[in-house]
Structures are given as C-alpha cells and as structure tokens.
Amino acid sequence: MKTLTIAVIAGDGVGTEVIPQAKRVLEKVAHKHHLSFVFQDFDWGAEHFFRWGQMMPAGAIDLLQPCDAILLGAVGHPDIPDHTTLNGLLLPIRRAFDQYANVRPAYLYPGVKSPLVRPKGGDIDLVVVRENTEGEYAPVGGWVYRHQPEEVAIQTSVFTRRGCERIMRFAFEMARQRNRKRRVSSITKSNAQGYSMVLWDRTFQDVAADYPDIATESLLVDAAAMNFIRRPESFDVVVGSNLFSDILSDISAIIVGSMGLAASANLDPSRRFPSMFEPVHGSAPDIAGKGIVNPLATILSAGMMLDHLGITEAAREVEAAVAAVLAVGEVATPDLGGKSSTEEVGTAVLEKLA
Ligand code: NAD
Ligand code: IPM
Ligand code: MN
C-alpha cells in the first residue's frame, strides 16, 4: 500500500469547514485505490497568532518540506491586518517552496448557472496560469518616515527573465497537454508599465516561437477583464503576472458560477519541494461558522493534488463525482442557489464516489 503524507493547514474562517469535507473525499478514494493518506494537521493561522504572536512557528517550512503535498483551507481574520496574516502564512510557503506556477481552472459545469446569460455548461473552459513567486508580490520595498505625516511607502515589482520564461513555458506546455483550443493568452500592461511588462512581452514572443502549434494573443489586462465577460468561451490557457492573475482568477471563478467552485494548485513543477493545493477563495468571514460554505472548491483542489501525486484515476473520479452532484443540482449550498449545508454537499460527493 502506498502511503502519502499530506500536510493540512485548515487555517481560518471557512477554511476549518471546507477542509474536513476534502479529507472525507480523500479518505474515500484512498480506500478504493489501496492508498493511505497520513494527514499531518497544523493548527496555524489566526488562533495561533492570538496565542503566540505569529501565524506559524519558526521552523514551519522545515516541518512542511518532507510532506508529499500541502492542503490549505484559507487564511485571514477580521481582527488581524491582512498583510500580517498572509505574509505570515500563505505567501511565505509559496515562495519557500518555489511554487511558481499557480494553476486556476475555471470550467462551467453542466447544471451550474453562470451570471453571464449566454454560456451554457461546458462553454467556459479556461485555466489561469499565474506567476506565483515574483512580480508585484515580490517582498521588496520599505518605508520612509513611517507613521509620520510625510510617510512614504515603496513597493517594488520584480520581473526576471527566468521567472517570466518558466511560467510561460509552463502555460504553453499546458495548452498542448489540454489539447483544447491550443491557445495561450498573455496578460500585459506594457502600454503603461514600460519596463516590467515590456520584458514580459518580449519573453512571451521568444517563448511562443518555440510553440508554433499553439495560437497566441496578447491582451492588456483591462481589456482582458472585459473579454473574460464578453467572450469567455474564447479562452484556453491564460498566463499572467502574480497580481494581474490574482484579479482575473476571481473573475474567472464567478463567471463559472461561484467562488465556491474555484480550485487551485500552487506547483513547484521541478518537484524539489511539496506543492500546495487550496481553494481560490478566502476565509469568507461573512458566512464563516454557519455551515453553509461550499466545500467543492476545496474538494476539487484535493482532486488536483491527486493528479499531481500521480493518482490520476482517483483524481478523475473526484472530478466526476463533483460534476455529477452539480449536474443533478439537488444538493447545493446557497452560493449556487441551494439550501444544503457544507456537510450535505460533502456527503453527496461521497455518495457519487461510491
Ligand atoms: P473571500 O473569498 O473570503 O469571500 C468573497 C465572497 O465570496 C464572500 O461573500 C464569501 O462569502 C464568498 N465565498 C467565498 N468562498 C465561498 C465558498 N466556498 N462558498 C460560498 N461562498 C463563498 O474573499 P474576501 O472576503 O475578500 O476575503 C476574506 C479574507 O480572506 C481576507 O482576510 C482575505 O485577505 C483572505 N483571503 C485569503 C485567501 C487565501 O487564504 N487563499 C484568498 C482570498 C482572500
Ligand atoms: C489568492 C489570495 C491571495 C493572493 C491573498 C490572500 C494574499 O487572494 O490566493 O488569490 O493574492 O495571492
Ligand atoms: Mn485572490
């Protein structure tokens, strides 16, 4: 029997409600596929911060490193500044483990209603490939005259040719592997940002030359935001910088029905380090503790984890079970127009897996 060690960080808010449902699903497929998951739960997050003054302990990265993968719920608490929570827990893991490819699929499942009028199930099938270790999120900057009336903040974006090139190659390879529209859309803003985005564009042209079988387009990020609404069916793989793709992936999540369906993978494609799987959404304090958060984004993220770990058949089964629950539509949380609880949705997925 193959044993896989999964570090689990449920985190804050609805993170603690969605993770148990993903674990139930993983345990079910493990049983069927003669696998065993050893879940190592880490109680890091806001409560840890209230007790110990930090979101995760010193040495946390060393504790995670030996794991096969990391499953994360959500981070963020209304009583702690977001830059403290996220720079204390989520973002350092992405960087420490060089998880440079953040993969965020958006598929309009049959049975789910898009807020857009035109697209029907299957019409939207895109994936946002987000550069996840540099760009606008580089931890480079500082303060002058902090907390004084004349205070100055400097936050510097860092774009390296290596960073641009490796995420773009990853996107082109994905377009080949998906074998759908075989198209990569690059997101830029070189009309205003005459250094970083010019490097981005030039690198895109150079990489594209190695993939003559893949169609390309380059879109300014503002136009891309519009086109995600106007012609979402036209997109296949979309590659963008850290901040641009963060924003676009909330749009892609909602046009396929809900933040509660948006899964993601933070990948280290070199496999030197563990990759991390988490829903795109946050701790959703407005619905936390009510038992109504949609667990499907986290369950689908666990499915992406299975895929990454090479347990491909089980991954397909999880996706199919989620698709089947959505197609029937009887068991759904309020974000999808239903009345079911988080746990009832988890149970419905388990029943489809049976
Ligand atoms: P959010 O994603 O938590 O919530 C946005 C809206 O979507 C809310 O109305 C919420 O109720 C709804 N929603 C989100 N996930 C849902 C689900 N699974 N089912 C049903 N409805 C869902 O974003 P926010 O409100 O901007 O941020 C809340 C906190 O989470 C902040 O502290 C923020 O920094 C943090 N955050 C963390 C992550 C992460 O951990 N990866 C991601 C985004 C935001
Ligand atoms: C996401 C989140 C994070 C990000 C925040 C919480 C730092 O919004 O994963 O999309 O911007 O990367
Ligand atoms: Mn985001």
Side-chain angles (χ1 to χ4, degrees), residues 8-24:
V8 181
I9 307 168
D12 306 322
V14 298
T16 59
E17 299 172 58
V18 292
I19 285 292
Q21 302 308 319
K23 281 174 149 180
R24 286 172 82 195

Side-chain angles (χ1 to χ4, degrees), residues 324-339:
V325 170
L326 292 169
V328 177
E330 267 164 19
V331 183
T333 41
D335 55 304
L336 292 175
K339 290 195 165 70

Side-chain angles (χ1 to χ4, degrees), residues 82-334:
D82 276 341
H83 66 88
T84 301
T85 49
L86 277 315
N87 286 300
L89 177 47
L90 176 70
L91 298 174
I93 299 174
R94 291 180 184 167
R95 284 195 290 262
F97 294 144
D98 204 21
Q99 294 164 346
Y100 71 82
N102 185 331
V103 178
R104 300 186 154 188
Y107 176 69
L108 180 55
Y109 282 95
V112 177
K113 217 167 166 251
S114 169
L116 304 179
V117 178
R118 200 180 53 248
K120 305 280 174 299
D123 284 357
I124 305 177
D125 185 359
L126 65 87
V127 52
V128 175
V129 171
R130 167 182 180 183
E131 199 296 314
N132 212 28
T133 46
E134 55 172 58
E136 308 87 342
Y137 281 42
V140 177
W143 298 91
V144 188
Y145 314 117
R146 194 172 183 189
H147 297 313
Q148 294 174 36
E150 62 276 45
E151 63 186 330
V152 176
I154 296 182
Q155 181 103 40
T156 305
S157 294
V158 175
F159 285 80
T160 65
R161 184 170 260 275
R162 178 192 82 137
C164 297
E165 185 171 339
R166 66 182 182 172
I167 195 65
M168 289 168 183
R169 283 199 188 280
F170 182 90
F172 277 95
E173 293 293 336
M174 179 174 279
R176 270 188 185 159
Q177 204 206 327
R178 274 166 62 86
N179 200 21
R180 301 222 167 80
K181 300 193 182 70
R182 298 179 71 83
R183 180 185 176 86
V184 177
S185 308
S186 163
I187 307 302
T188 185
K189 190 65 197 176
S190 50
N191 54 353
Q193 297 186 297
Y195 308 112
S196 56
M197 284 295 127
V198 170
L199 175 61
W200 178 274
D201 289 356
R202 264 203 274 122
T203 310
F204 186 70
Q205 279 174 11
D206 291 349
V207 173
D210 289 342
Y211 295 87
D213 52 315
I214 302 295
T216 62
E217 69 176 339
S218 177
L219 289 174
L220 296 163
V221 63
D222 42 359
M226 174 193 63
N227 282 318
F228 266 37
I229 307 296
R230 184 174 65 159
R231 54 168 174 88
E233 308 90 339
S234 70
F235 291 97
D236 179 12
V237 177
V238 179
V239 65
S241 67
N242 216 330
L243 179 62
F244 291 170
S245 301
D246 174 48
I247 298 165
L248 288 179
S249 61
D250 265 36
I251 303 181
S252 62
I254 200 64
I255 60 175
V256 296
S258 173
M259 285 306 288
L261 293 175
S264 87
N266 301 273
L267 300 176
D268 165 21
S270 78
R271 293 179 182 261
R272 281 179 305 155
F273 300 111
S275 292
M276 177 165 66
F277 301 81
E278 51 161 344
V280 172
H281 65 73
S283 54
D286 54 338
I287 56 165
K290 297 184 178 160
I292 55 162
V293 58
N294 190 342
L296 293 177
T298 311
I299 291 172
L300 288 168
S301 303
M304 294 178 83
M305 182 178 83
L306 293 170
D307 216 355
H308 179 75
L309 294 171
I311 314 162
T312 320
E313 203 185 317
R316 295 292 90 77
E317 285 170 13
V318 170
E319 282 166 21
V322 169
V325 170
L326 292 169
V328 177
E330 267 164 19
V331 183
T333 41

Side-chain angles (χ1 to χ4, degrees), residues 44 48 54-61 63:
W44 303 338
H48 190 278
Q54 41 189 356
M55 293 294 287
M56 58 181 182
I61 295 296
L63 290 173

Side-chain angles (χ1 to χ4, degrees), residues 330-353:
E330 267 164 19
V331 183
T333 41
D335 55 304
L336 292 175
K339 290 195 165 70
S340 311
S341 69
T342 307
E343 175 143 15
E344 284 164 346
V345 172
T347 303
V349 175
L350 288 187
E351 279 166 6
K352 295 290 178 195
L353 279 170

